[in-house]
């Protein structure tokens, strides 16, 4: 899947964007992903297990993430946990989605400024 054009996968579902953002800082298991999302959204998004694992399944199939072979020390971890990491494609898709959202936000600011100028004229 390395020849996949990231823009072909955009726009990402919000749950997938949040998962990619959480994994951008390193490998995580499901519960850690849910906590990370809740943290960087200041509690505005609480991702439940159904949403998380449904999205994970789709993202594994699309090649955006992979199950990590590296695990913490078994003394510090539960062996049943599965850890996930971004693939190269996942990183490229995250970058493309961020660029798309930045462009959208820029266009929105221009339109709002134009509307404000018309209202004040």
């Amino acid at each position: 899947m390395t020849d996949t054009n990231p823009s072909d996968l955009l726009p990402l579902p919000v749950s997938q964007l949040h998962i990619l953002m959480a994994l951008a800082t390193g490998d995580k298991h499901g519960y850690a992903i849910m906590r990370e999302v809740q943290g960087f959204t200041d509690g505005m998004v609480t991702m439940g297990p159904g949403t998380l694992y449904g999205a994970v399944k789709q993202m594994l199939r699309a090649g955006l993430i992979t199950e990590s072979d590296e695990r913490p020390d078994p003394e510090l971890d539960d062996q049943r946990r599965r850890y996930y990491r971004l693939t190269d494609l996942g990183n490229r898709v995250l970058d493309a989605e961020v660029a798309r959202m930045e462009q959208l936000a820029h266009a929105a600011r221009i339109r709002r400024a134009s509307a404000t100028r018309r209202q004040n004229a």
Side-chain angles (χ1 to χ4, degrees):
M1 273 244 176
T2 56
D3 59 345
T4 301
N5 183 344
S7 63
D8 292 344
L9 300 175
L10 302 182
L12 283 174
V14 174
S15 58
Q16 290 186 17
L17 174 60
H18 285 144
I19 292 167
L20 291 179
M21 290 171 60
L23 293 174
T25 58
D27 298 3
K28 290 178 185 57
H29 55 78
Y31 183 65
I33 293 170
M34 289 189 287
R35 283 193 332 237
E36 180 94 1
V37 169
Q38 191 169 16
F40 69 66
T41 63
D42 292 329
M44 292 177 62
V45 174
T46 302
M47 186 175 288
T51 300
L52 173 75
Y53 290 109
V56 162
K57 185 176 178 181
Q58 292 172 341
M59 296 168 75
L60 286 165
R61 243 181 310 180
L64 300 176
I65 63 174
T66 188
E67 202 168 318
S68 176
D69 293 331
E70 296 177 30
R71 300 193 58 85
D73 181 340
E75 297 288 324
L76 305 173
D77 191 44
D78 183 337
Q79 286 297 96
R80 296 171 292 183
R81 284 184 176 152
R82 292 184 178 173
Y83 284 76
Y84 303 98
R85 74 169 37 155
L86 287 179
T87 61
D88 177 59
L89 176 60
N91 273 305
R92 292 186 294 126
V93 167
L94 177 57
D95 289 345
E97 182 69 339
V98 169
R100 185 190 73 80
M101 293 176 80
E102 286 173 341
Q103 183 180 17
L104 182 62
H106 177 72
R109 282 191 288 280
I110 289 171
R111 291 176 106 32
R112 291 302 306 142
S114 176
T116 300
R117 280 193 300 274
R118 280 195 308 273
Q119 289 172 353
N120 293 332

